[in-house]
Amino acid sequence: MTTAETTPPPTIRREDYRPPAFLVDSVELHLALHPGATRVTASLTMRRNPAAAPAADLELDGEALTLISSALDGAPLEPGRLARLPGGGLRIAGVPDAFTLRTEVEISPEANSELSGLYLSGGNYFTQCEAEGFRRITFFPDRPDVMARYTTTIEAERAACPVLLSNGNPDGAGELPDGRHWARWVDPHPKPSYLFAVVAGDLVAARDSFTTQSGRDVALAIYVRRGDEDACGHAMDSLKRSMKWDEDTYGLEYDLDVFNIAAVSDFNMGAMENKGLNVFNTKYILARPETATDTDYEGIETVVAHEYFHNWTGNRVTCRDWFQLSLKEGLTVFRDQHFSADQGSAAVKRLSDVRRLRAAQFPEDAGPMAHPVRPDSYVEINNFYTATVYQKGAEVVRMMRALIGEAAFRRGMDLYIQRHDNQAVTIEDFAQAMQDASGVDLSRFRRWYGQAGTPELRVRDAFDPASGRYTLTLSQSTPPTPGQPEKLPVPIPVRMGLIGADGAELPGAGVLLLEEAEQDFTFDGLASRPVPSLLRGFSAPVRLSGLSLEQLGFLAAHDSDPFVRWDSGQQYAVAEMLRMVQEFRAQKPLALPEGLASNISALLDGAADDPAFAAEALVLPSEDFVADQMDTADPEAVHAVRQFLRASLGTRFMARFAALHDELRDAGPYRTDGISTGRRALRNTALSYIGRAEGGDGIARAARQFETGGNMTDVLSALRVLADSDAPERETALAAFHARWRGDDLVLDKWFTIQAISSREDTLRVVEDLLQHRDFDLRNPNRVRALVGAFAAGNPARFHTASGEGYRFLADSVIALDAVNTQVAARMVGPLAQWKRQDAARGAIMREELRRILARPGLSKGTYEKVSKGLAA
Ligand code: B3K
Ligand code: ZN
């Protein structure tokens, strides 16, 4: 995993793909679990791949494995025929055309802090194999285009590990001497090694069942630590709704007798779709009203659905190689977004998906790590589980559906699955299925997969009163990205409508397809100049410009499309905030823009009709989003302007915010339906404004809500207001929160985060102290993300402090982490690599910190890739 100081790690290129020289038909695995020395015996039934170039020797991947013994067709392999490969793999000289290879290796789960391969968490065993963790369990051609049938036998001490789980269906269990026992699992479906999983330990199950559309009974279980069984209800309910939705929407039915989920608190990401045995970060399973926020509940529903949907898009049809990652991830995000939209308010779901895309993917696409949805090269594949592959990938699928229509899209999905079931395929195969099912030529559209960067869509318009003709001129360009200086136009579906001066919708609504660099679209028979409503529902992942402040204000007030209404309000606010940033820099006094105030006033007027929408629309664009629109960011100025606006809007509308805060109090038991969460969101948005207002009772309200709040959403919103303040209530509340929740990891993460994102000037000091806190643990990824990640990526004003201390803090953290968990370390580099966005002085310190990381001997290849690409930009 680590690279020598002098030789940079190799780059893997898509164009170098070659089919595997050997295939594996079946795998018999035996794992004898011991914390420090687990024995893994693998019998692989292998044969030459007729579709590959002949190879004399067999090469298997391996990493951190101690080889104990090996045999070919039952005969022990002499040492002369074996060689270890540089990364830890194995070469076996001169193998026949078909054979059985048996290897026995030893691994140490307790020494595994990477959390890739087999590891221990809280005394229980878990695996994580995607992308390349299986090679840390046994020697294997660890690549997704080698699909095999697995039989797995696990043995362990019964007292410590009463539960023994793997992929597929259970196939026997029994006792062994010395208090040990065993269980066997058979997975009838061929799968790539990255979907392998084992879970063993002292876990308890929350159980339920689901009957599929064809009448098959599936036993459902969620395995958690003792005491957490009562916190699985929302996850289980989400699972059953997902299973039903996939049948109703795509006719896709579950294909095993059991569906197991195991939750673990030490996990590198959100969850993992292992066949029949999903492994989840506890964050995306456990929820009780008093410990989980509305956002947590939403996250659980989304992630449970996402992993379940992978059973078809990812598992039954998988990726040929890791460059095709978006084949499964983009498509599955598209599916989980669609599912969540169907569960509640589709409009509000769309706003939050777009907000997330713009917050994470747009900056990535404009930064040093910019890459196409289908990347051309990588050093460390784990660095490519990105917002581009996931979120932009989902947008590309969404556009494809808009272009060919819903019915053809469904036919395309049917065809894709029918053609490629049990195969490892490419993004090209997916696009081809959609093209064949629809008859629509998608050749140009495929550019979206190969071209990085966010297209800029500009609009101009002209109206000829004499003829009544209105002309919209749309043009596009995509800025250069690393390795791609020239860009081609991409087909951009622009869903639109025209609005008359009275606010009424005019004829002419539809989808314009902009395929060239510039095109005119004309509309006849208009009595007066309309206002164009463009990119309805955010029909393409592009940056739109060219509308005037006046047009934006008009659309925010009148458009029938909720996305355009919300976005126009946000763009209006951005335009005003950018103007104010210039004033702030010129040391002019700031004033509340009346247009912005009247937009907010109108939102407050209509708030009762749709609280969830109002809550989204009342929140000012984030500091990062505003800074992202500037040639050179100015975190201090942006922060000052945003805080000024929050305070002056809070002061101006204090009475109305206070009324909302009083009226929207939850009555009755906690519920997570869209209406209830919308009301809580609006109420807490109001509280946050009151918290900044001058002469307001925000602190008193927050303190009261903190003490009496019946759910974590309200308690945490109140704590957030207090944590941002200098009031004495701050310390009392933080201490009380810690005392109450110190035994609950997930709630304690919130305690770390709320301090890390505080706007107070001493936040960096506080964060540095928290790094030494007895509850901080560098080995727990959730805790690291809660403190270090939240500070660096969620507190621009304090991270970018002019002294550069924020940068030094992050670099120190990356260096410390790289020795513990390289995947988590590499993920933390991102904010430092965005130095080009900052002024010269900050940029210089950021680069210096990147160089300091790069100079560390033995840096992992993942961190090396992120840092070196960051420096090269
Ligand atoms: N497929 C996993 C992600 C694996 C990440 C490996 N570094 C979860 C998901 O996208 O569903
Ligand atoms: Zn996924």
Side-chain angles (χ1 to χ4, degrees):
M1 266 291 185
T2 54
T3 124
E5 261 169 280
T6 41
T7 34
T11 296
I12 318 290
R13 290 176 207 287
R14 186 165 57 88
E15 64 195 19
D16 292 342
Y17 172 82
R18 297 291 177 277
F22 293 88
L23 301 174
V24 183
D25 292 318
S26 63
V27 180
E28 288 248 6
L29 273 181
H30 184 276
L31 290 93
L33 300 177
H34 294 276
T38 287
R39 283 284 167 106
V40 182
T41 310
S43 287
L44 314 180
T45 310
M46 303 191 70
R47 63 189 158 91
R48 278 179 198 280
N49 181 3
D57 301 342
L58 169 68
E59 293 193 357
L60 300 172
D61 298 300
E63 192 179 290
L65 304 176
T66 305
L67 180 62
I68 305 294
S69 69
S70 60
L72 195 81
D73 289 328
L77 278 161
E78 313 97 65
R81 285 181 70 188
L82 293 175
R84 292 304 285 263
L85 300 168
L90 193 63
R91 177 187 293 131
I92 302 171
V95 293
D97 289 346
F99 55 94
T100 300
L101 175 70
R102 186 177 175 283
T103 62
E104 186 182 9
V105 301
E106 191 175 289
I107 54 180
S108 173
E110 99 194 333
N112 183 355
S113 63
E114 274 296 325
L115 313 185
S116 161
L118 177 69
Y119 64 94
L120 278 176
S121 169
N124 300 319
Y125 296 83
F126 295 89
T127 55
Q128 171 55 37
C129 291
E130 190 176 1
E132 299 178 334
F134 192 65
R135 64 187 62 183
R136 294 164 61 84
I137 296 173
T138 192
F139 289 108
F140 200 78
D142 190 14
R143 43 188 287 170
D145 55 355
V146 174
M147 297 174 82
R149 288 196 171 78
Y150 287 64
T151 298
T152 305
T153 307
I154 313 160
E155 65 151 274
E157 200 186 309
R158 179 180 272 287
C161 296
V163 171
L164 304 174
L165 306 170
S166 189
N167 315 92
N169 295 317
D171 185 54
E175 299 304 317
L176 292 168
D178 302 327
R180 291 177 72 83
H181 70 144
W182 64 273
R184 186 167 51 236
W185 292 80
V186 175
D187 185 353
H189 302 286
K191 65 167 176 288
S193 51
Y194 80 85
L195 290 174
F196 173 78
V198 156
V199 171
D202 186 14
L203 300 168
V204 287
R207 296 185 191 276
D208 208 325
S209 68
F210 181 82
T211 306
T212 67
Q213 58 185 11
S214 70
R216 176 206 274 269
D217 280 323
V218 183
L220 311 176
I222 302 181
Y223 287 86
V224 292
R225 275 175 310 211
R226 211 165 284 283
D228 284 338
E229 314 83 281
D230 66 322
C232 301
H234 183 63
M236 187 65 90
D237 183 55
S238 303
L239 174 61
K240 290 192 290 179
R241 280 184 283 119
S242 308
M243 295 177 88
K244 179 80 170 72
W245 185 90
D246 220 12
E247 293 183 346
D248 294 347
T249 316
Y250 290 106
L252 295 173
E253 189 175 323
Y254 188 61
D255 55 1
L256 289 169
D257 303 334
V258 300
F259 187 85
N260 288 321
I261 289 179
V264 54
S265 46
D266 297 288
F267 204 60
N268 282 345
M269 62 267 174
M272 178 64 211
E273 70 265 24
N274 315 301
K275 183 77 187 191
L277 176 53
N278 287 187
V279 175
F280 270 65
N281 190 322
T282 46
K283 178 175 168 60
Y284 292 108
I285 291 293
L286 303 179
R288 304 175 181 92
E290 65 276 18
T291 58
T293 62
D294 292 346
T295 312
D296 294 329
Y297 274 84
E298 263 175 54
I300 290 167
E301 179 181 275
T302 298
V303 179
V304 167
H306 180 97
E307 306 311 331
Y308 175 72
F309 295 154
H310 268 315
N311 190 56
W312 281 97
T313 51
N315 300 5
R316 287 287 288 255
V317 182
T318 196
C319 301
R320 185 192 74 171
D321 54 72
W322 292 122
F323 298 103
Q324 319 298 328
L325 183 57
S326 195
L327 174 77
K328 73 178 178 83
E329 295 305 348
L331 178 55
T332 304
V333 171
F334 167 78
R335 277 151 54 68
D336 82 55
Q337 290 180 345
H338 185 185
F339 163 78
S340 297
D342 282 354
Q343 305 298 302
S345 163
V348 173
K349 168 68 178 155
R350 187 65 185 144
L351 309 187
S352 66
D353 288 342
V354 174
R355 193 160 27 73
R356 219 159 298 162
L357 180 84
R358 284 173 170 166
Q361 200 278 325
F362 279 23
E364 179 171 276
D365 231 355
M369 273 289 290
H371 55 276
V373 170
R374 181 188 52 211
D376 293 316
S377 66
Y378 61 77
V379 172
E380 168 56 68
I381 184 56
N382 288 313
N383 285 339
F384 285 80
Y385 287 74
T386 58
T388 299
V389 165
Y390 277 66
Q391 269 76 38
K392 186 175 179 179
E395 293 298 322
V396 173
V397 174
R398 202 170 187 277
M399 284 190 288
M400 209 184 254
R401 187 179 63 153
L403 285 178
I404 67 177
E406 278 176 40
F409 185 81
R410 169 63 205 268
R411 289 198 304 277
M413 280 291 286
D414 291 352
L415 182 60
Y416 168 67
I417 285 177
Q418 176 210 319
R419 259 185 200 168
H420 299 299
D421 190 13
N422 292 322
Q423 294 177 10
V425 302
T426 63
I427 282 175
E428 196 55 35
D429 293 320
F430 176 76
Q432 194 60 45
M434 288 295 162
Q435 174 160 322
D436 293 346
S438 65
V440 177
D441 180 1
L442 293 171
S443 36
R444 233 191 208 210
F445 182 81
R446 294 171 203 206
R447 285 180 188 166
W448 277 103
Y449 284 112
Q451 194 164 276
T454 307
E456 289 167 7
L457 173 66
R458 272 174 306 273
V459 55
R460 289 196 316 271
D461 63 353
F463 181 64
D464 176 16
S467 64
R469 168 169 284 197
Y470 177 66
T471 306
L472 265 180
T473 305
L474 299 180
S475 62
Q476 63 165 301
S477 64
T478 302
T481 52
Q484 283 190 342
E486 309 290 343
K487 303 286 181 177
L488 295 167
V490 286
I492 301 179
V494 182
R495 223 155 70 74
M496 53 76 67
L498 299 176
I499 320 287
D502 57 353
E505 180 90 21
L506 301 172
V511 180
L512 309 177
L513 187 59
L514 173 65
E515 293 193 278
E516 308 298 332
E518 181 167 309
Q519 275 169 258
D520 284 345
F521 300 90
T522 55
F523 303 84
D524 289 313
L526 290 156
S528 62
R529 184 189 197 97
V531 174
S533 162
L534 300 171
L535 279 186
R536 285 182 163 176
F538 200 60
S539 57
V542 300
R543 296 178 192 255
L544 171 65
S545 64
L547 294 174
S548 67
L549 201 60
E550 197 187 348
Q551 287 174 315
L552 291 171
F554 182 86
L555 291 167
H558 298 293
D559 199 21
S560 59
D561 182 78
F563 171 79
V564 171
R565 244 179 12 251
W566 169 77
D567 192 37
S568 303
Q570 295 286 302
Q571 301 292 350
Y572 186 104
V574 167
E576 289 290 38
M577 288 167 82
L578 290 174
R579 189 180 52 71
M580 292 170 75
V581 162
Q582 297 314 322
E583 288 175 357
F584 178 86
R585 291 160 65 106
Q587 294 180 346
K588 292 195 193 135
L590 298 179
L592 174 61
E594 282 311 313
L596 188 58
S598 78
N599 292 351
I600 297 288
S601 173
L603 285 169
L604 286 169
D605 291 342
D609 302 338
D610 189 348
F613 178 87
E616 285 277 355
L618 282 168
V619 176
L620 293 170
S622 72
E623 289 172 28
D624 275 331
F625 187 64
V626 176
D628 191 42
Q629 322 295 313
M630 302 171 66
D631 291 333
T632 301
D634 186 337
E636 268 161 28
V638 172
H639 180 67
V641 165
R642 193 169 186 275
Q643 293 295 74
F644 170 84
L645 285 176
R646 289 177 66 202
S648 21
L649 290 167
T651 311
R652 169 84 64 98
F653 299 112
M654 177 126 64
R656 300 175 73 185
F657 283 127
L660 283 177
H661 188 243
D662 292 335
E663 284 157 19
L664 293 170
R665 202 182 306 264
D666 262 0
Y670 176 79
R671 283 197 306 265
T672 57
D673 58 277
I675 307 285
S676 310
T677 55
R679 286 167 57 96
R680 276 190 293 275
L682 181 56
R683 176 167 193 254
N684 286 315
T685 302
L687 177 64
S688 132
Y689 272 109
I690 306 169
R692 308 275 352 152
E694 265 164 56
D697 59 348
I699 297 298
R701 278 177 185 269
R704 208 158 46 237
Q705 180 168 323
F706 176 76
E707 277 156 28
T708 61
N711 60 75
M712 184 50 80
T713 304
D714 287 345
V715 169
L716 203 66
S717 301
L719 185 59
R720 172 113 203 235
V721 170
L722 298 175
D724 265 1
S725 78
D726 297 322
E729 286 87 341
R730 170 194 155 88
E731 294 309 322
T732 331
L734 284 170
F737 192 89
H738 181 265
R740 163 129 199 235
W741 296 114
R742 53 186 307 181
D744 187 318
D745 298 340
L746 295 174
V747 184
L748 212 53
D749 287 338
K750 301 179 194 304
W751 181 80
F752 278 94
T753 296
I754 215 135
Q755 298 179 75
I757 61 176
S758 166
S759 59
R760 282 165 56 102
E761 286 188 8
D762 64 352
T763 293
L764 178 56
R765 286 285 91 71
V766 172
V767 169
E768 280 170 341
D769 287 349
L770 286 173
L771 210 51
Q772 307 304 325
H773 194 282
R774 65 180 183 284
D775 293 325
F776 184 77
D777 181 2
L778 211 54
R779 296 165 62 101
N780 178 257
N782 283 359
R783 195 54 49 87
V784 171
R785 286 185 283 259
L787 184 64
V788 182
F791 174 73
N795 197 343
R798 301 304 160 227
F799 173 63
H800 291 289
T801 186
S803 68
E805 288 164 288
Y807 307 145
R808 270 193 286 283
F809 164 79
L810 184 58
D812 287 341
S813 303
V814 168
I815 290 168
L817 273 166
D818 200 54
V820 174
N821 184 327
T822 62
Q823 285 189 45
V824 175
R827 286 224 160 225
M828 294 288 144
V829 173
L832 275 178
Q834 293 282 6
W835 58 269
K836 261 203 174 162
R837 305 274 322 116
Q838 301 300 323
D839 60 31
R842 285 185 173 86
I845 310 177
M846 292 168 94
R847 281 202 308 281
E848 203 176 290
E849 293 301 331
L850 287 170
R851 279 190 219 102
R852 186 159 67 88
I853 301 173
L854 204 61
R856 298 292 295 197
L859 200 64
S860 70
K861 64 176 178 173
T863 302
Y864 168 87
E865 177 177 37
K866 294 287 277 290
V867 174
S868 58
K869 286 185 175 170
L871 273 169

